[in-house]
Amino acid sequence: MSNPRKRNFRIEGFKHGVVMDPQYGDKTWIILENAIHQIYNHNASGLSFEELYRNAYNMVLHKFGERLDSGLVATVTSHLQEMARSVEATQGSSFLVELNRMWEDHNKALQMIRDILMYMDRTYIQTIKKTTVYELGLNLWRENVLHSNQIRTRLLNMLLELVHSERAGEVVNRGLIRSITKMLIDTGPSVYEEEFENPFLLASTEFYRAESQIFIECCGSGDYLKKAEMHLNEELDRVSHYLDPSTETKITTLVEKEMLENHMLRLIYKETSGLVNMLGDDKYEDLVKDNGKQLVTDPERLKDPVEFVQRLSDVKDKFNKIIDLAFSNDKLFMKDLNSSFEFFMNLNPRIPEYISLFVDDKLRKGLKGVSEDVVEINLDKVMVLFRYLQEKDVFEKYYKQHLAKRLLSGKTVSDDAERSLIVKLKTECGFQFTAKLEGMFTDMKTSVDTMKSFNANHPELGDGPTLTVQVLTTGSWPAQSSVTCNLPTEMSALCEKFRSYYLSTHNGRKLTWQTNMGTADLKATFGSGQKHELNVSTYQMCILMLFNNADRLSYREIEQATEIPASDLKRCLQSLALVKGRNVLRKEPMGKDVSEDDTFYVNDRFSSKLYKIKIGTVVAQKESELEKLDTRQKEEEDRKPQIEAAIVRIMKSRKQLEHNNLMAEVTQQLQSRFLTNPTDVKKRIESLLEREFLERDTVDRKLYRYLA
Amino acid sequence: MGVINDRVKFNVGGRVFETTATTLANAGRNSMLGAMLDENWNLLQDNGSEKFIDRNADCFSVILDLLRTGELYIPQNVPEKLLYREALFYGVLDHVRSAKWGQFDGNRLRLSCSVQGQAPGDGTAIRAGPDGGCCVAHGCMVHVYDWMLEEHCPLNLDHQRVNDVGWVDPNNIVIGVSERLGRGDGGMGLFSSHNGELRYKFQVSHENHVKSYTAGALSFSSDYKIFSSCKGRSNEYGVGVWDQVTGKQIDFFYEPLGWSLGDADKLQWLEGSNCLLVATMFPRKDNCYISLLDFREKKMVWCWSDVGATLAVDEKRVRDAIAMEDNSSICVVNEFEELGFMDLRSSAANSVRWSSRSRLMKGKMPEEPCYPKLALHGGQLFSSMNDCISVFCGPEWVLTSRLRRSYGGSICDFSIGGDRLFALHSEENVFDIWETP
């Protein structure tokens, strides 16, 4: 300010430069309200969106948001009330059409109003957390139209009626129903639920309750189930066509409950067509078969036969339980179960052996200290499995072997248990099957008596070694190669005495020594003066006795002196010299295997806490492959005479018989022992024809005659 | 295209623009431009005539360019505020926001701008909001800024000291305040970030009695829980848990004897292990207590404290802690900005493995020191010290970047969120916004 002249400074009052027209809000709203009317009256084409949007924008900007919001509610409400009146006024079926038309109008109008008021939605509504324009429109529709007294019930009844008539087979306008339900859904999920879904479900419950009552009176279970399925599909179809997907599970559970659950018992037990009959065999049988097959063919499982059979038995128990609990021991199911078991139990040819091993294990040690009842239960379980075997004779073979071992080594835990099992086998397969087994027991008993009288007759033998002989009937016992060895002189003299005694009391018999099966108790004194009693096999006894006269012996010397077969000798030496803690002999050179150049000498440093020491023989529990093949072949050989005998027996009584009938009868007769192979039977017939036990009829080649 | 003529002509404030419906469709149907082209509004108009819009032409040009290219370029002559207003009019403000800055990367941050507050400094906390806004706590005030850095209604907590703030969602913030003696107030409240209105007050009850309390540090979990350290009048110390939806208190973890929970400086919810990290640091207590709480079993599953530890001559006191779930470790920092690590997996972690990094800070502490703070984002570790924020990356936590601006003094707090980093300075009441371009 260059001019120093004083100037009168006057502060002027602040001029209100911009005064907002107080009527601005009202004026603008009138424009917008007018537009909303036009929109509802389908007259929107003349409206300028830009202008309306700008007006609404300005109203919000100038803080007329509240006015805008309340004005909107009032205007839309008045239109909706008008719509409601027009819907109420419609008669009959056009009601739904009109309602739908109104909804479409309202929906479209709402879209456009929302477009205009978009800015309000974005800003004003956001900050004060009110409902958006669209939601507001839906709420108003619900309040003014849907909840109008004259519309609400009418709408519901009409919808339910339509559904009912469709269930009754009439054709309805699905498109229309769809639009209406869609309207209900759009108006809000709870609206659909309250206004339609719940009453609909209630009506459906009643419908199906009545329906199912009628059906069950007049249809069989099969037809009933078909009907139920049809209804279920109908409802699914309905849902997909005009209901909300959320209804699907509700209606299906409803139908299932009304049509199936409530009539479950009747459906199952309905005579001639009940579930029990219907389910029949297929499903259950397959299940059992699959389950069993898996078990039987799993190589891992087969490693331990005892465990394996236990599992089989468990599986059987499990299925029995299922049948018992779920099907109250229905006979059909039992039959299925049995046939399934028979199927898979015979998939694996080694199962007879395993079952026998299982029994062996149980009778050796498994049942020690167990009460008789438990023993019985266990044996019964074995018998249950045994019944499924087709090759019972294979089982017999193995059983005989195992029993022999048990009896001769005195390993059997309980005579009662042994006998009990034999009785069970006898009832199962007849006298023939167990005759030999029983013979074995008899032999054991007579042997005891024989020994008593032998000892009584030879009182002078008191000081020397004691001999216990078990006289076994050839044939009853599993055949053993009778390779004898050279017994020590003390023993052979004793044996001679027994032989002469025995033959003197039993005329015309022949005795062979089965040295490979005996055992002996030896008293031995080791280097440090320690005394032990050794329980060894006969072979081992023979070897050890040699060391009474020599300190060192080579393999060849031992072999020469004892004449024990090479394989047995090696095993014996192995168990004498190589088992840690029990090696009464030592070997030179050291090594894991016995070879023919080895030398043996007494282990002077042998020591043990126990006085009595059992020196086992290295044996294979399970059969080796070779043995297995051997057993199989023998089995085949053994079956030949049995088949022939059966053929002859049958032909003898029938005199003449057709081929097929003969085959059938043979199979039937041998069933309890093994399953016959038709080719084998045919071969036997051929052989009998050759040997002239039978002849073919000259006219009918299929007919056989018995030649006496 | 060819067949359908999708050209659209606009006259915006007198300037004619020509574009295509395809370009405009990028704005979305829920925008003014989208609605304008909707057939509902175009029953009579033929496509040839131009549509008039009574708005600023320069801004329209920028926005049209954004719709065409997806990129935002603001010329010198267009003020940002003006552009935002216009974008809001057209309903494309979200487009502008997402185009303005890119995905967060600590190593590429650029200072976008600094905002000067009204008060003279000594801020308590700054918290980034999920959509790019932030709030700054200052004594008994909380200032809320949206992503355009427009300040909303400030929140005045009636002379109660604000301890922590946090964003529940872009529209709501939670504030924890101290209780004043003789008044039954304090505690934690939910406020609208738009108009500052108190929407809900979270209550704590002990044995069915509602008690007043002081709310300390806050944390939030993705399953809508709010955690706060609480100090009650009658020694009810611990950590309270509330449901965000119902607002009801759902749990309370009482402070065990000889430990500190109610005074915690920092809470951190660990999504992976379903645990809460609670850390109380030196100036508040004489010792440092860090623990992990498992609320389901009401168990402290991991804990560490320097109670009884002999302090060496060069004191190393833990000043902030952060759990790094990906590395199963807890990172701590001392007043010399040395980072230390502890293994989360062994519960008997008694020692901090201090990284042998810089001792640079030693000896040149500013007059008004600020305690260092830590933050973790996208596998990058951030640590503030004095007027500078360091960014560490990789398994060895190598220092890769430094953010520094030499105005406003030391950084007393910083926060990362909404793809932005906010740093609050203590001497001047100013905060910086760092963005990835």
Side-chain angles (χ1 to χ4, degrees), chain A residues 39 45 49-50 53-54 57 108 112 114-116 118-119 122-123 127 129, chain B residues 29-32 35-36 40-41 44 52-55 88-89 91 199:
Chain A
I39 290 169
S45 50
F49 171 73
E50 193 271 340
Y53 183 89
R54 184 154 36 83
Y57 171 82
K108 189 171 176 200
M112 294 176 79
R114 190 198 69 130
D115 284 348
I116 300 173
M118 199 181 273
Y119 191 78
R122 249 179 221 293
T123 55
T127 49
K129 280 221 158 176
Chain B
R29 177 63 182 81
N30 283 337
S31 67
M32 185 264 194
M36 205 167 180
N40 275 349
W41 297 102
L44 285 186
F52 180 73
I53 303 178
D54 187 10
R55 301 302 294 188
L88 184 59
F89 175 85
R199 288 196 167 142

mmCIF file of all heavy atoms in Angstrom, chain A residues 39 45 49-50 53-54 57 108 112 114-116 118-119 122-123 127 129, chain B residues 29-32 35-36 40-41 44 52-55 88-89 91 199:
data_model
loop_
_atom_site.group_PDB
_atom_site.id
_atom_site.type_symbol
_atom_site.label_atom_id
_atom_site.label_comp_id
_atom_site.label_asym_id
_atom_site.label_seq_id
_atom_site.Cartn_x
_atom_site.Cartn_y
_atom_site.Cartn_z
ATOM 1 N N ILE A 39 -42.017 -44.170 -14.493
ATOM 2 C CA ILE A 39 -41.427 -45.505 -14.629
ATOM 3 C C ILE A 39 -42.474 -46.560 -14.329
ATOM 4 O O ILE A 39 -42.636 -47.535 -15.061
ATOM 5 C CB ILE A 39 -40.212 -45.647 -13.690
ATOM 6 C CG1 ILE A 39 -39.052 -44.781 -14.179
ATOM 7 C CG2 ILE A 39 -39.767 -47.108 -13.588
ATOM 8 C CD1 ILE A 39 -37.910 -44.649 -13.197
ATOM 9 N N SER A 45 -39.724 -43.756 -21.364
ATOM 10 C CA SER A 45 -38.901 -43.494 -22.559
ATOM 11 C C SER A 45 -38.547 -42.019 -22.701
ATOM 12 O O SER A 45 -37.519 -41.682 -23.265
ATOM 13 C CB SER A 45 -39.626 -43.991 -23.805
ATOM 14 O OG SER A 45 -40.939 -43.488 -23.793
ATOM 15 N N PHE A 49 -31.908 -40.053 -18.291
ATOM 16 C CA PHE A 49 -31.221 -40.683 -17.168
ATOM 17 C C PHE A 49 -30.198 -39.729 -16.572
ATOM 18 O O PHE A 49 -30.091 -39.576 -15.366
ATOM 19 C CB PHE A 49 -30.532 -41.973 -17.625
ATOM 20 C CG PHE A 49 -29.625 -42.554 -16.586
ATOM 21 C CD1 PHE A 49 -30.154 -43.169 -15.468
ATOM 22 C CD2 PHE A 49 -28.244 -42.449 -16.710
ATOM 23 C CE1 PHE A 49 -29.322 -43.690 -14.501
ATOM 24 C CE2 PHE A 49 -27.415 -42.964 -15.734
ATOM 25 C CZ PHE A 49 -27.950 -43.579 -14.633
ATOM 26 N N GLU A 50 -29.481 -39.072 -17.464
ATOM 27 C CA GLU A 50 -28.404 -38.186 -17.001
ATOM 28 C C GLU A 50 -28.946 -37.130 -16.070
ATOM 29 O O GLU A 50 -28.402 -36.868 -14.995
ATOM 30 C CB GLU A 50 -27.726 -37.538 -18.219
ATOM 31 C CG GLU A 50 -26.419 -36.858 -17.922
ATOM 32 C CD GLU A 50 -26.598 -35.392 -17.522
ATOM 33 O OE1 GLU A 50 -27.649 -34.799 -17.826
ATOM 34 O OE2 GLU A 50 -25.669 -34.863 -16.885
ATOM 35 N N TYR A 53 -30.160 -38.697 -12.723
ATOM 36 C CA TYR A 53 -29.019 -39.114 -11.913
ATOM 37 C C TYR A 53 -28.370 -37.887 -11.283
ATOM 38 O O TYR A 53 -28.046 -37.881 -10.102
ATOM 39 C CB TYR A 53 -28.008 -39.849 -12.810
ATOM 40 C CG TYR A 53 -26.810 -40.406 -12.072
ATOM 41 C CD1 TYR A 53 -26.847 -41.689 -11.530
ATOM 42 C CD2 TYR A 53 -25.658 -39.653 -11.921
ATOM 43 C CE1 TYR A 53 -25.751 -42.199 -10.853
ATOM 44 C CE2 TYR A 53 -24.570 -40.149 -11.240
ATOM 45 C CZ TYR A 53 -24.609 -41.435 -10.711
ATOM 46 O OH TYR A 53 -23.524 -41.942 -10.041
ATOM 47 N N ARG A 54 -28.225 -36.845 -12.091
ATOM 48 C CA ARG A 54 -27.588 -35.626 -11.605
ATOM 49 C C ARG A 54 -28.425 -34.994 -10.496
ATOM 50 O O ARG A 54 -27.897 -34.533 -9.485
ATOM 51 C CB ARG A 54 -27.393 -34.645 -12.759
ATOM 52 C CG ARG A 54 -26.654 -33.382 -12.394
ATOM 53 C CD ARG A 54 -25.959 -32.786 -13.602
ATOM 54 N NE ARG A 54 -26.732 -32.940 -14.848
ATOM 55 C CZ ARG A 54 -27.731 -32.094 -15.205
ATOM 56 N NH1 ARG A 54 -28.057 -31.085 -14.444
ATOM 57 N NH2 ARG A 54 -28.375 -32.305 -16.343
ATOM 58 N N TYR A 57 -28.008 -36.984 -7.448
ATOM 59 C CA TYR A 57 -26.639 -36.725 -6.975
ATOM 60 C C TYR A 57 -26.603 -35.402 -6.200
ATOM 61 O O TYR A 57 -26.071 -35.333 -5.097
ATOM 62 C CB TYR A 57 -25.710 -36.669 -8.192
ATOM 63 C CG TYR A 57 -24.304 -36.192 -7.901
ATOM 64 C CD1 TYR A 57 -23.355 -37.075 -7.401
ATOM 65 C CD2 TYR A 57 -23.930 -34.876 -8.138
ATOM 66 C CE1 TYR A 57 -22.058 -36.641 -7.146
ATOM 67 C CE2 TYR A 57 -22.645 -34.437 -7.889
ATOM 68 C CZ TYR A 57 -21.704 -35.331 -7.392
ATOM 69 O OH TYR A 57 -20.435 -34.897 -7.152
ATOM 70 N N LYS A 108 -38.777 -54.323 -12.550
ATOM 71 C CA LYS A 108 -38.128 -53.509 -13.568
ATOM 72 C C LYS A 108 -38.053 -52.055 -13.104
ATOM 73 O O LYS A 108 -37.011 -51.391 -13.254
ATOM 74 C CB LYS A 108 -38.915 -53.603 -14.878
ATOM 75 C CG LYS A 108 -38.164 -52.962 -15.994
ATOM 76 C CD LYS A 108 -38.819 -53.246 -17.331
ATOM 77 C CE LYS A 108 -38.046 -52.481 -18.405
ATOM 78 N NZ LYS A 108 -38.850 -52.312 -19.618
ATOM 79 N N MET A 112 -34.717 -49.505 -12.414
ATOM 80 C CA MET A 112 -34.491 -48.168 -12.961
ATOM 81 C C MET A 112 -34.348 -47.140 -11.852
ATOM 82 O O MET A 112 -33.512 -46.239 -11.935
ATOM 83 C CB MET A 112 -35.635 -47.803 -13.913
ATOM 84 C CG MET A 112 -35.643 -48.698 -15.144
ATOM 85 S SD MET A 112 -37.013 -48.410 -16.243
ATOM 86 C CE MET A 112 -36.458 -46.953 -17.101
ATOM 87 N N ARG A 114 -33.233 -47.683 -8.962
ATOM 88 C CA ARG A 114 -31.919 -47.907 -8.376
ATOM 89 C C ARG A 114 -30.845 -47.213 -9.212
ATOM 90 O O ARG A 114 -29.896 -46.648 -8.690
ATOM 91 C CB ARG A 114 -31.625 -49.396 -8.326
ATOM 92 C CG ARG A 114 -30.406 -49.740 -7.516
ATOM 93 C CD ARG A 114 -29.951 -51.108 -7.880
ATOM 94 N NE ARG A 114 -29.425 -51.094 -9.254
ATOM 95 C CZ ARG A 114 -28.243 -51.614 -9.589
ATOM 96 N NH1 ARG A 114 -27.491 -52.184 -8.680
ATOM 97 N NH2 ARG A 114 -27.825 -51.573 -10.839
ATOM 98 N N ASP A 115 -31.008 -47.301 -10.537
ATOM 99 C CA ASP A 115 -30.038 -46.646 -11.420
ATOM 100 C C ASP A 115 -29.982 -45.152 -11.130
ATOM 101 O O ASP A 115 -28.906 -44.573 -11.022
ATOM 102 C CB ASP A 115 -30.417 -46.867 -12.884
ATOM 103 C CG ASP A 115 -30.066 -48.265 -13.341
ATOM 104 O OD1 ASP A 115 -29.343 -48.955 -12.589
ATOM 105 O OD2 ASP A 115 -30.509 -48.673 -14.431
ATOM 106 N N ILE A 116 -31.153 -44.559 -11.003
ATOM 107 C CA ILE A 116 -31.193 -43.113 -10.766
ATOM 108 C C ILE A 116 -30.545 -42.778 -9.425
ATOM 109 O O ILE A 116 -29.793 -41.820 -9.304
ATOM 110 C CB ILE A 116 -32.659 -42.611 -10.751
ATOM 111 C CG1 ILE A 116 -33.341 -42.897 -12.088
ATOM 112 C CG2 ILE A 116 -32.705 -41.129 -10.437
ATOM 113 C CD1 ILE A 116 -34.819 -42.582 -12.055
ATOM 114 N N MET A 118 -28.410 -44.366 -7.720
ATOM 115 C CA MET A 118 -27.178 -45.118 -7.473
ATOM 116 C C MET A 118 -26.214 -44.363 -6.559
ATOM 117 O O MET A 118 -25.588 -44.931 -5.679
ATOM 118 C CB MET A 118 -26.501 -45.374 -8.817
ATOM 119 C CG MET A 118 -25.492 -46.480 -8.797
ATOM 120 S SD MET A 118 -24.804 -46.610 -10.428
ATOM 121 C CE MET A 118 -25.951 -47.692 -11.231
ATOM 122 N N TYR A 119 -26.151 -43.064 -6.758
ATOM 123 C CA TYR A 119 -25.205 -42.285 -5.960
ATOM 124 C C TYR A 119 -25.594 -42.313 -4.481
ATOM 125 O O TYR A 119 -24.736 -42.398 -3.607
ATOM 126 C CB TYR A 119 -25.138 -40.846 -6.465
ATOM 127 C CG TYR A 119 -23.998 -40.081 -5.841
ATOM 128 C CD1 TYR A 119 -22.695 -40.266 -6.283
ATOM 129 C CD2 TYR A 119 -24.232 -39.188 -4.795
ATOM 130 C CE1 TYR A 119 -21.648 -39.586 -5.700
ATOM 131 C CE2 TYR A 119 -23.191 -38.499 -4.199
ATOM 132 C CZ TYR A 119 -21.901 -38.704 -4.655
ATOM 133 O OH TYR A 119 -20.854 -38.039 -4.067
ATOM 134 N N ARG A 122 -24.447 -45.450 -2.967
ATOM 135 C CA ARG A 122 -23.010 -45.496 -2.793
ATOM 136 C C ARG A 122 -22.514 -44.709 -1.591
ATOM 137 O O ARG A 122 -21.572 -45.108 -0.944
ATOM 138 C CB ARG A 122 -22.349 -44.901 -4.028
ATOM 139 C CG ARG A 122 -21.638 -45.895 -4.830
ATOM 140 C CD ARG A 122 -21.051 -45.242 -6.038
ATOM 141 N NE ARG A 122 -21.230 -46.124 -7.170
ATOM 142 C CZ ARG A 122 -20.607 -47.293 -7.271
ATOM 143 N NH1 ARG A 122 -19.789 -47.692 -6.348
ATOM 144 N NH2 ARG A 122 -20.825 -48.062 -8.319
ATOM 145 N N THR A 123 -23.123 -43.551 -1.365
ATOM 146 C CA THR A 123 -22.573 -42.664 -0.339
ATOM 147 C C THR A 123 -23.467 -42.569 0.892
ATOM 148 O O THR A 123 -23.097 -43.037 1.972
ATOM 149 C CB THR A 123 -22.358 -41.259 -0.925
ATOM 150 O OG1 THR A 123 -23.596 -40.813 -1.473
ATOM 151 C CG2 THR A 123 -21.304 -41.286 -2.006
ATOM 152 N N THR A 127 -22.861 -44.641 4.535
ATOM 153 C CA THR A 127 -22.424 -44.069 5.804
ATOM 154 C C THR A 127 -23.436 -44.268 6.905
ATOM 155 O O THR A 127 -23.059 -44.380 8.065
ATOM 156 C CB THR A 127 -22.123 -42.567 5.653
ATOM 157 O OG1 THR A 127 -23.214 -41.959 4.982
ATOM 158 C CG2 THR A 127 -20.852 -42.334 4.873
ATOM 159 N N LYS A 129 -25.670 -46.743 6.965
ATOM 160 C CA LYS A 129 -26.015 -48.165 7.089
ATOM 161 C C LYS A 129 -27.507 -48.434 6.963
ATOM 162 O O LYS A 129 -28.073 -49.204 7.736
ATOM 163 C CB LYS A 129 -25.513 -48.718 8.429
ATOM 164 C CG LYS A 129 -24.033 -49.052 8.411
ATOM 165 C CD LYS A 129 -23.780 -50.346 9.132
ATOM 166 C CE LYS A 129 -22.474 -50.971 8.698
ATOM 167 N NZ LYS A 129 -22.118 -52.153 9.405
ATOM 168 N N ARG B 29 -21.887 -52.642 -14.559
ATOM 169 C CA ARG B 29 -23.288 -52.237 -14.615
ATOM 170 C C ARG B 29 -23.649 -51.361 -13.410
ATOM 171 O O ARG B 29 -24.521 -50.514 -13.485
ATOM 172 C CB ARG B 29 -24.160 -53.500 -14.653
ATOM 173 C CG ARG B 29 -25.653 -53.262 -14.632
ATOM 174 C CD ARG B 29 -26.098 -52.478 -15.880
ATOM 175 N NE ARG B 29 -27.531 -52.205 -15.851
ATOM 176 C CZ ARG B 29 -28.081 -51.214 -15.157
ATOM 177 N NH1 ARG B 29 -27.334 -50.432 -14.429
ATOM 178 N NH2 ARG B 29 -29.385 -51.022 -15.187
ATOM 179 N N ASN B 30 -22.943 -51.570 -12.309
ATOM 180 C CA ASN B 30 -23.276 -50.814 -11.113
ATOM 181 C C ASN B 30 -22.570 -49.463 -11.075
ATOM 182 O O ASN B 30 -22.111 -49.018 -10.031
ATOM 183 C CB ASN B 30 -22.903 -51.599 -9.857
ATOM 184 C CG ASN B 30 -23.918 -52.679 -9.588
ATOM 185 O OD1 ASN B 30 -25.058 -52.579 -10.035
ATOM 186 N ND2 ASN B 30 -23.504 -53.703 -8.878
ATOM 187 N N SER B 31 -22.479 -48.854 -12.222
ATOM 188 C CA SER B 31 -21.899 -47.523 -12.244
ATOM 189 C C SER B 31 -22.842 -46.636 -13.039
ATOM 190 O O SER B 31 -23.718 -47.128 -13.760
ATOM 191 C CB SER B 31 -20.528 -47.565 -12.919
ATOM 192 O OG SER B 31 -20.696 -47.872 -14.282
ATOM 193 N N MET B 32 -22.652 -45.357 -12.903
ATOM 194 C CA MET B 32 -23.522 -44.428 -13.622
ATOM 195 C C MET B 32 -23.399 -44.648 -15.125
ATOM 196 O O MET B 32 -24.392 -44.650 -15.842
ATOM 197 C CB MET B 32 -23.116 -43.011 -13.239
ATOM 198 C CG MET B 32 -24.003 -41.948 -13.818
ATOM 199 S SD MET B 32 -23.328 -41.276 -15.345
ATOM 200 C CE MET B 32 -24.339 -39.815 -15.533
ATOM 201 N N ALA B 35 -25.272 -47.829 -16.118
ATOM 202 C CA ALA B 35 -26.721 -47.677 -16.103
ATOM 203 C C ALA B 35 -27.174 -46.854 -17.304
ATOM 204 O O ALA B 35 -28.213 -47.127 -17.909
ATOM 205 C CB ALA B 35 -27.155 -47.006 -14.800
ATOM 206 N N MET B 36 -26.365 -45.871 -17.651
ATOM 207 C CA MET B 36 -26.740 -44.960 -18.732
ATOM 208 C C MET B 36 -26.892 -45.693 -20.053
ATOM 209 O O MET B 36 -27.723 -45.334 -20.877
ATOM 210 C CB MET B 36 -25.646 -43.908 -18.859
ATOM 211 C CG MET B 36 -26.124 -42.635 -19.469
ATOM 212 S SD MET B 36 -24.880 -41.396 -19.201
ATOM 213 C CE MET B 36 -25.691 -40.023 -19.991
ATOM 214 N N ASN B 40 -32.927 -50.166 -20.619
ATOM 215 C CA ASN B 40 -34.075 -49.563 -19.948
ATOM 216 C C ASN B 40 -34.173 -48.071 -20.235
ATOM 217 O O ASN B 40 -35.259 -47.505 -20.257
ATOM 218 C CB ASN B 40 -33.921 -49.731 -18.422
ATOM 219 C CG ASN B 40 -34.444 -51.074 -17.965
ATOM 220 O OD1 ASN B 40 -35.093 -51.760 -18.739
ATOM 221 N ND2 ASN B 40 -34.145 -51.440 -16.738
ATOM 222 N N TRP B 41 -33.018 -47.467 -20.349
ATOM 223 C CA TRP B 41 -32.989 -46.013 -20.488
ATOM 224 C C TRP B 41 -32.790 -45.569 -21.920
ATOM 225 O O TRP B 41 -32.600 -44.396 -22.187
ATOM 226 C CB TRP B 41 -31.865 -45.435 -19.621
ATOM 227 C CG TRP B 41 -32.087 -45.691 -18.169
ATOM 228 C CD1 TRP B 41 -31.498 -46.612 -17.409
ATOM 229 C CD2 TRP B 41 -33.004 -44.998 -17.338
ATOM 230 N NE1 TRP B 41 -31.979 -46.566 -16.139
ATOM 231 C CE2 TRP B 41 -32.911 -45.562 -16.055
ATOM 232 C CE3 TRP B 41 -33.921 -43.933 -17.538
ATOM 233 C CZ2 TRP B 41 -33.686 -45.140 -14.972
ATOM 234 C CZ3 TRP B 41 -34.673 -43.502 -16.465
ATOM 235 C CH2 TRP B 41 -34.565 -44.094 -15.198
ATOM 236 N N LEU B 44 -35.955 -44.893 -26.704
ATOM 237 C CA LEU B 44 -36.257 -44.044 -27.857
ATOM 238 C C LEU B 44 -35.011 -43.502 -28.551
ATOM 239 O O LEU B 44 -35.001 -43.300 -29.745
ATOM 240 C CB LEU B 44 -37.152 -42.870 -27.436
ATOM 241 C CG LEU B 44 -38.617 -43.228 -27.181
ATOM 242 C CD1 LEU B 44 -39.418 -41.976 -26.919
ATOM 243 C CD2 LEU B 44 -39.205 -43.998 -28.364
ATOM 244 N N PHE B 52 -25.563 -36.225 -23.326
ATOM 245 C CA PHE B 52 -25.003 -35.084 -22.630
ATOM 246 C C PHE B 52 -24.783 -35.419 -21.152
ATOM 247 O O PHE B 52 -25.658 -35.999 -20.494
ATOM 248 C CB PHE B 52 -25.919 -33.880 -22.768
ATOM 249 C CG PHE B 52 -25.379 -32.678 -22.052
ATOM 250 C CD1 PHE B 52 -24.276 -31.977 -22.569
ATOM 251 C CD2 PHE B 52 -25.943 -32.248 -20.852
ATOM 252 C CE1 PHE B 52 -23.781 -30.880 -21.904
ATOM 253 C CE2 PHE B 52 -25.432 -31.148 -20.182
ATOM 254 C CZ PHE B 52 -24.353 -30.455 -20.703
ATOM 255 N N ILE B 53 -23.628 -35.063 -20.653
ATOM 256 C CA ILE B 53 -23.378 -35.185 -19.220
ATOM 257 C C ILE B 53 -22.839 -33.849 -18.746
ATOM 258 O O ILE B 53 -21.842 -33.340 -19.267
ATOM 259 C CB ILE B 53 -22.361 -36.291 -18.883
ATOM 260 C CG1 ILE B 53 -22.821 -37.635 -19.442
ATOM 261 C CG2 ILE B 53 -22.165 -36.396 -17.369
ATOM 262 C CD1 ILE B 53 -21.848 -38.753 -19.193
ATOM 263 N N ASP B 54 -23.492 -33.328 -17.731
ATOM 264 C CA ASP B 54 -23.142 -31.992 -17.262
ATOM 265 C C ASP B 54 -22.039 -32.083 -16.201
ATOM 266 O O ASP B 54 -22.269 -31.837 -15.030
ATOM 267 C CB ASP B 54 -24.413 -31.357 -16.687
ATOM 268 C CG ASP B 54 -24.175 -29.898 -16.330
ATOM 269 O OD1 ASP B 54 -23.111 -29.378 -16.712
ATOM 270 O OD2 ASP B 54 -25.039 -29.316 -15.662
ATOM 271 N N ARG B 55 -20.820 -32.503 -16.653
ATOM 272 C CA ARG B 55 -19.723 -32.622 -15.688
ATOM 273 C C ARG B 55 -18.426 -32.089 -16.283
ATOM 274 O O ARG B 55 -18.374 -31.727 -17.466
ATOM 275 C CB ARG B 55 -19.485 -34.094 -15.280
ATOM 276 C CG ARG B 55 -20.621 -34.825 -14.648
ATOM 277 C CD ARG B 55 -21.149 -34.220 -13.405
ATOM 278 N NE ARG B 55 -20.241 -34.223 -12.257
ATOM 279 C CZ ARG B 55 -20.625 -33.862 -11.033
ATOM 280 N NH1 ARG B 55 -21.872 -33.504 -10.807
ATOM 281 N NH2 ARG B 55 -19.781 -33.852 -10.036
ATOM 282 N N LEU B 88 -16.349 -40.618 -8.187
ATOM 283 C CA LEU B 88 -17.445 -41.038 -7.321
ATOM 284 C C LEU B 88 -18.779 -40.778 -8.010
ATOM 285 O O LEU B 88 -19.703 -41.581 -7.927
ATOM 286 C CB LEU B 88 -17.367 -40.286 -5.984
ATOM 287 C CG LEU B 88 -18.384 -40.687 -4.930
ATOM 288 C CD1 LEU B 88 -18.244 -42.163 -4.589
ATOM 289 C CD2 LEU B 88 -18.215 -39.850 -3.670
ATOM 290 N N PHE B 89 -18.861 -39.653 -8.731
ATOM 291 C CA PHE B 89 -20.088 -39.346 -9.452
ATOM 292 C C PHE B 89 -20.393 -40.447 -10.472
ATOM 293 O O PHE B 89 -21.508 -40.950 -10.559
ATOM 294 C CB PHE B 89 -19.971 -37.991 -10.171
ATOM 295 C CG PHE B 89 -21.160 -37.667 -11.031
ATOM 296 C CD1 PHE B 89 -22.288 -37.074 -10.478
ATOM 297 C CD2 PHE B 89 -21.163 -37.985 -12.383
ATOM 298 C CE1 PHE B 89 -23.386 -36.792 -11.269
ATOM 299 C CE2 PHE B 89 -22.268 -37.708 -13.175
ATOM 300 C CZ PHE B 89 -23.392 -37.095 -12.622
ATOM 301 N N GLY B 91 -19.342 -43.388 -10.379
ATOM 302 C CA GLY B 91 -19.393 -44.707 -9.745
ATOM 303 C C GLY B 91 -18.203 -45.580 -10.098
ATOM 304 O O GLY B 91 -18.314 -46.811 -10.120
ATOM 305 N N ARG B 199 -20.755 -47.602 17.840
ATOM 306 C CA ARG B 199 -21.769 -48.587 17.455
ATOM 307 C C ARG B 199 -21.956 -49.654 18.508
ATOM 308 O O ARG B 199 -23.022 -50.239 18.640
ATOM 309 C CB ARG B 199 -21.355 -49.260 16.149
ATOM 310 C CG ARG B 199 -21.494 -48.320 14.997
ATOM 311 C CD ARG B 199 -21.455 -49.076 13.691
ATOM 312 N NE ARG B 199 -21.905 -48.190 12.631
ATOM 313 C CZ ARG B 199 -21.396 -48.173 11.423
ATOM 314 N NH1 ARG B 199 -20.425 -48.991 11.120
ATOM 315 N NH2 ARG B 199 -21.863 -47.367 10.516
#
